[in-house]
Amino acid sequence: MIKIKNLHANVEGTEILKGINLTVNRGEVHAIMGPNGSGKSTLANVLAGHSAYEVTEGEIIFDGKNIIEMEPDERAREGLFLAFQYPIEIPGVSNSIFLRTALDEIRKHKGEPELTPKEFLSLLKEKAQILGMDTSLINRALNQGFSGGEKKRNEILQLLMLNPKLAILDETDSGLDIDALRIVSEGVNAYKSKDNAVIVVTHYQRLLDYIVPDFVHVLYKGRIVKSGTKDLALELEERGYDWIIKEQPETV
Amino acid sequence: MNEETREDIKLVEDVTQTDYKWGFVSDIEADEFPKGLNEDIIRKISKIKNEPEWMTEWRLKAYKHWLTMEEPDWAKVNYEKVDYQDLIYFSAPKKKPELESLDEVDPELLKTFEKLGIPLEEQKKLAGVAVDAVFDSVSVATTFRETLAEKGIIFCPISEAIINHPDLVKKYLGSVVPQTDNFFAALNSAVFSDGSFVYIPKGVRCPMELSTYFRINAENTGQFERTLIIADEGSYVSYLEGCTAPMRDENQLHAAVVELIVLDDAEIKYSTVQNWYPGDKEGKGGIYNFVTKRGICKGKNSKISWTQVETGSAVTWKYPGCILLGDNSVGEFYSVAVTNNFQQADTGTKMVHIGKNTKSTIISKGISAGKSNNSYRGLVKVNKNAENARNFSQCDSMLMGNKCGAHTFPYLEIENNSATVEHEATTSKVGEDQIFYLNQRGISTEDAVNMIVNGFCKEVFNELPMEFAIEAQKLLAISLEGSVG
């Protein structure tokens, strides 16, 4: 699904990603973990094409295409989705109009017809139900005045509606209480299939109790320094990151 | 300057490269007066309109007063002053003396309005909207007049009203904006050539939107239209005003006066979509839009609601206001002002509370892009005897890029302690984060900006009649195409 090769990226002249190599296949869930400042969110944003980050070296092959030169909206239409750590508020723009526009753009790109208002609404209701979302949120302005939990739920609603090939979840668990965490995870699990893939960026193991990863990678100072299975996440929970950091050569 | 900022600036520049679509010139033979202004010209205007003596005198009084006045310069706008002796004060499409039907209108003229999307032919009239079309100095066609006349509604060019309804005109013309009110109002009073007149009789709810479309075509011509709307007791009317002009290198002057009079329990809703030619990307040409608009809530429980979407003009200088004289009267002002390239806008409102329990609401949204400057200037005045007056003002500014400016000048004059006055103001930038967020959901930058801007203006667009709201959204999109920052 996505093949990241020797990816280097700068922000304001400072190198944050220093050669990431990662392959995620269809049907897989990969977790990216690591201490603060290791480059996890940078990786998520670079994959989505945020203009504040400059890719200096490497390739990102997404579903057979090198997307390095693609604009963020093109990547999104190709089926790459980023659930934001801090979803953005857009005053006055209704959640449903926004979703409708996004869905139309993506369907148009795939050569599918636009949904009728009725079809759209019933799809929206179906997906909102999975997340136990109050339908009133749908007519409110996009993320405006939403609580932290509502915002995260809204991200997953968008994920379910847009049904991308690859979902990157950037610290979707941050700021969620245990019930919200469970509901959001159920949403992600409802999305997951053998045809798509998920990259979960997280600090904590607890999210991985719900969204079970096939692989876990530890990011440290811009490189993946250790990869393993779900057990690695459990070990990190127990022992922290120090033991891995100590294994690293000083020069990193 | 870091990469990001440079990128922003580039985006802004890319996006602001849209051309004015209404800039064509119609090849229509015109009757024009020589350049310059003097008593003779005013008498000639009055004569060509077959005006009664009292009207000629009214104009001359305004002219004499105007001569003693100086052009004001307190607004936050810079422009090359107009040479008033270098303007033509009357230009009319040549036509047969009396028009019996639209068949007799110059087909070129009909074509012009067709191109502007304002069909005047009977069979193609906009559904449910009566249109008065003003071309340069004269009104060329007013539609639906018979239908309206059945209800006793008068909707006609003001030049006709002066002749056919002198009592109403004498009583109300200049009653809200006196000839001596200000420099541009005095000039308008002296030389106005046409405009619309509306009278809604007691208890009548006007069954359709009334609309006037103003078009400046001729070169070196000032447009000075005059609009007078009277809503008698218990009546209601919604009135729409639209305007465009050709692209010309020299600046053209538009100095209109609009007066609204609302009696007991009546309401006027006045909406404007102003799209005069704004000048080119280097700031050359464009319309100077110096307009005096004012309404009086004369009767108790009366209401005036001004909604404006200002996207055009090189320089805009206008403050639609409400004098809330009647007890329990309500004044509203909803405004979106967009400036791009080198446009300048200094606009806002005046709410003067005189009656008891009067209420006013001001919602102003200013959007600045390019190298433009956008100012909100508003006055809320509560007189000594205005018990329990209430005002709420909200002035929001949005900046695109970092070469433009937004300014807010709220003035408060409160003479009664029982007044409640609230003012909120915000300034925001169209965030790169907002655009990225929408991009990440497959929405192009162009559409993302439109979405963000429309969201920002939503409270104002909600006040516009449906078709106008759609037109306003489209205009906004065109005015700001690509202005990202």
Side-chain angles (χ1 to χ4, degrees), chain B residues 366-380:
Chain B
I367 301 162
S368 335
K371 293 175 183 161
S372 67
N373 259 303
N374 203 327
S375 305
Y376 167 81
R377 188 184 302 276
L379 168 71
V380 175

PDB file of all heavy atoms in Angstrom, chain B residues 366-380:
ATOM      1  N   GLY B 366     -15.053  42.027   7.279  1.00  0.00           N
ATOM      2  CA  GLY B 366     -14.137  42.622   6.305  1.00  0.00           C
ATOM      3  C   GLY B 366     -13.104  41.586   5.880  1.00  0.00           C
ATOM      4  O   GLY B 366     -12.538  40.891   6.719  1.00  0.00           O
ATOM      5  N   ILE B 367     -12.894  41.464   4.575  1.00  0.00           N
ATOM      6  CA  ILE B 367     -11.902  40.517   4.075  1.00  0.00           C
ATOM      7  C   ILE B 367     -10.898  41.304   3.239  1.00  0.00           C
ATOM      8  O   ILE B 367     -11.276  41.979   2.292  1.00  0.00           O
ATOM      9  CB  ILE B 367     -12.559  39.433   3.205  1.00  0.00           C
ATOM     10  CG1 ILE B 367     -13.610  38.687   4.025  1.00  0.00           C
ATOM     11  CG2 ILE B 367     -11.516  38.478   2.653  1.00  0.00           C
ATOM     12  CD1 ILE B 367     -14.591  37.920   3.184  1.00  0.00           C
ATOM     13  N   SER B 368      -9.637  41.244   3.612  1.00  0.00           N
ATOM     14  CA  SER B 368      -8.620  41.969   2.840  1.00  0.00           C
ATOM     15  C   SER B 368      -7.637  40.991   2.229  1.00  0.00           C
ATOM     16  O   SER B 368      -7.152  40.091   2.904  1.00  0.00           O
ATOM     17  CB  SER B 368      -7.827  42.940   3.714  1.00  0.00           C
ATOM     18  OG  SER B 368      -8.554  43.338   4.848  1.00  0.00           O
ATOM     19  N   ALA B 369      -7.343  41.224   0.943  1.00  0.00           N
ATOM     20  CA  ALA B 369      -6.331  40.423   0.251  1.00  0.00           C
ATOM     21  C   ALA B 369      -5.438  41.375  -0.538  1.00  0.00           C
ATOM     22  O   ALA B 369      -5.694  42.578  -0.590  1.00  0.00           O
ATOM     23  CB  ALA B 369      -7.006  39.416  -0.676  1.00  0.00           C
ATOM     24  N   GLY B 370      -4.411  40.840  -1.161  1.00  0.00           N
ATOM     25  CA  GLY B 370      -3.521  41.657  -1.992  1.00  0.00           C
ATOM     26  C   GLY B 370      -2.894  42.775  -1.185  1.00  0.00           C
ATOM     27  O   GLY B 370      -2.428  42.571  -0.063  1.00  0.00           O
ATOM     28  N   LYS B 371      -2.891  43.989  -1.752  1.00  0.00           N
ATOM     29  CA  LYS B 371      -2.311  45.136  -1.046  1.00  0.00           C
ATOM     30  C   LYS B 371      -3.415  46.076  -0.612  1.00  0.00           C
ATOM     31  O   LYS B 371      -3.234  47.293  -0.552  1.00  0.00           O
ATOM     32  CB  LYS B 371      -1.333  45.854  -1.975  1.00  0.00           C
ATOM     33  CG  LYS B 371      -0.118  44.998  -2.280  1.00  0.00           C
ATOM     34  CD  LYS B 371       0.782  45.648  -3.297  1.00  0.00           C
ATOM     35  CE  LYS B 371       1.928  44.706  -3.610  1.00  0.00           C
ATOM     36  NZ  LYS B 371       2.581  45.020  -4.863  1.00  0.00           N
ATOM     37  N   SER B 372      -4.564  45.535  -0.371  1.00  0.00           N
ATOM     38  CA  SER B 372      -5.730  46.370  -0.131  1.00  0.00           C
ATOM     39  C   SER B 372      -5.844  46.775   1.331  1.00  0.00           C
ATOM     40  O   SER B 372      -5.189  46.218   2.203  1.00  0.00           O
ATOM     41  CB  SER B 372      -6.977  45.603  -0.539  1.00  0.00           C
ATOM     42  OG  SER B 372      -7.173  44.501   0.328  1.00  0.00           O
ATOM     43  N   ASN B 373      -6.710  47.752   1.556  1.00  0.00           N
ATOM     44  CA  ASN B 373      -6.995  48.234   2.895  1.00  0.00           C
ATOM     45  C   ASN B 373      -8.482  48.237   3.142  1.00  0.00           C
ATOM     46  O   ASN B 373      -9.237  48.737   2.320  1.00  0.00           O
ATOM     47  CB  ASN B 373      -6.476  49.661   3.053  1.00  0.00           C
ATOM     48  CG  ASN B 373      -5.166  49.667   3.801  1.00  0.00           C
ATOM     49  OD1 ASN B 373      -5.083  49.165   4.919  1.00  0.00           O
ATOM     50  ND2 ASN B 373      -4.146  50.191   3.152  1.00  0.00           N
ATOM     51  N   ASN B 374      -8.881  47.717   4.275  1.00  0.00           N
ATOM     52  CA  ASN B 374     -10.287  47.538   4.559  1.00  0.00           C
ATOM     53  C   ASN B 374     -10.568  48.064   5.967  1.00  0.00           C
ATOM     54  O   ASN B 374      -9.975  47.589   6.927  1.00  0.00           O
ATOM     55  CB  ASN B 374     -10.576  46.029   4.479  1.00  0.00           C
ATOM     56  CG  ASN B 374     -12.024  45.730   4.208  1.00  0.00           C
ATOM     57  OD1 ASN B 374     -12.910  46.460   4.631  1.00  0.00           O
ATOM     58  ND2 ASN B 374     -12.265  44.639   3.501  1.00  0.00           N
ATOM     59  N   SER B 375     -11.409  49.072   6.064  1.00  0.00           N
ATOM     60  CA  SER B 375     -11.707  49.634   7.380  1.00  0.00           C
ATOM     61  C   SER B 375     -13.181  49.546   7.700  1.00  0.00           C
ATOM     62  O   SER B 375     -14.024  49.792   6.849  1.00  0.00           O
ATOM     63  CB  SER B 375     -11.333  51.120   7.432  1.00  0.00           C
ATOM     64  OG  SER B 375     -10.001  51.298   7.067  1.00  0.00           O
ATOM     65  N   TYR B 376     -13.465  49.205   8.941  1.00  0.00           N
ATOM     66  CA  TYR B 376     -14.836  49.333   9.438  1.00  0.00           C
ATOM     67  C   TYR B 376     -14.889  50.613  10.250  1.00  0.00           C
ATOM     68  O   TYR B 376     -14.027  50.873  11.089  1.00  0.00           O
ATOM     69  CB  TYR B 376     -15.224  48.146  10.331  1.00  0.00           C
ATOM     70  CG  TYR B 376     -16.500  48.440  11.090  1.00  0.00           C
ATOM     71  CD1 TYR B 376     -17.724  48.275  10.462  1.00  0.00           C
ATOM     72  CD2 TYR B 376     -16.479  48.956  12.382  1.00  0.00           C
ATOM     73  CE1 TYR B 376     -18.904  48.609  11.121  1.00  0.00           C
ATOM     74  CE2 TYR B 376     -17.654  49.288  13.039  1.00  0.00           C
ATOM     75  CZ  TYR B 376     -18.858  49.117  12.406  1.00  0.00           C
ATOM     76  OH  TYR B 376     -20.020  49.471  13.050  1.00  0.00           O
ATOM     77  N   ARG B 377     -15.889  51.437   9.969  1.00  0.00           N
ATOM     78  CA  ARG B 377     -16.065  52.666  10.740  1.00  0.00           C
ATOM     79  C   ARG B 377     -17.541  52.747  11.103  1.00  0.00           C
ATOM     80  O   ARG B 377     -18.395  52.753  10.221  1.00  0.00           O
ATOM     81  CB  ARG B 377     -15.674  53.865   9.880  1.00  0.00           C
ATOM     82  CG  ARG B 377     -15.638  55.197  10.624  1.00  0.00           C
ATOM     83  CD  ARG B 377     -15.333  56.322   9.645  1.00  0.00           C
ATOM     84  NE  ARG B 377     -14.072  56.120   8.937  1.00  0.00           N
ATOM     85  CZ  ARG B 377     -12.877  56.465   9.422  1.00  0.00           C
ATOM     86  NH1 ARG B 377     -12.778  57.038  10.592  1.00  0.00           N
ATOM     87  NH2 ARG B 377     -11.786  56.229   8.719  1.00  0.00           N
ATOM     88  N   GLY B 378     -17.826  52.729  12.369  1.00  0.00           N
ATOM     89  CA  GLY B 378     -19.242  52.715  12.738  1.00  0.00           C
ATOM     90  C   GLY B 378     -19.514  53.588  13.940  1.00  0.00           C
ATOM     91  O   GLY B 378     -18.672  53.747  14.821  1.00  0.00           O
ATOM     92  N   LEU B 379     -20.691  54.185  13.920  1.00  0.00           N
ATOM     93  CA  LEU B 379     -21.103  55.020  15.046  1.00  0.00           C
ATOM     94  C   LEU B 379     -22.377  54.445  15.655  1.00  0.00           C
ATOM     95  O   LEU B 379     -23.332  54.144  14.950  1.00  0.00           O
ATOM     96  CB  LEU B 379     -21.378  56.450  14.558  1.00  0.00           C
ATOM     97  CG  LEU B 379     -22.085  57.373  15.566  1.00  0.00           C
ATOM     98  CD1 LEU B 379     -21.155  57.744  16.717  1.00  0.00           C
ATOM     99  CD2 LEU B 379     -22.589  58.636  14.878  1.00  0.00           C
ATOM    100  N   VAL B 380     -22.360  54.304  16.978  1.00  0.00           N
ATOM    101  CA  VAL B 380     -23.602  53.998  17.688  1.00  0.00           C
ATOM    102  C   VAL B 380     -23.852  55.166  18.625  1.00  0.00           C
ATOM    103  O   VAL B 380     -23.024  55.478  19.470  1.00  0.00           O
ATOM    104  CB  VAL B 380     -23.485  52.684  18.491  1.00  0.00           C
ATOM    105  CG1 VAL B 380     -24.754  52.452  19.313  1.00  0.00           C
ATOM    106  CG2 VAL B 380     -23.230  51.516  17.560  1.00  0.00           C
TER     107      VAL B 380
END
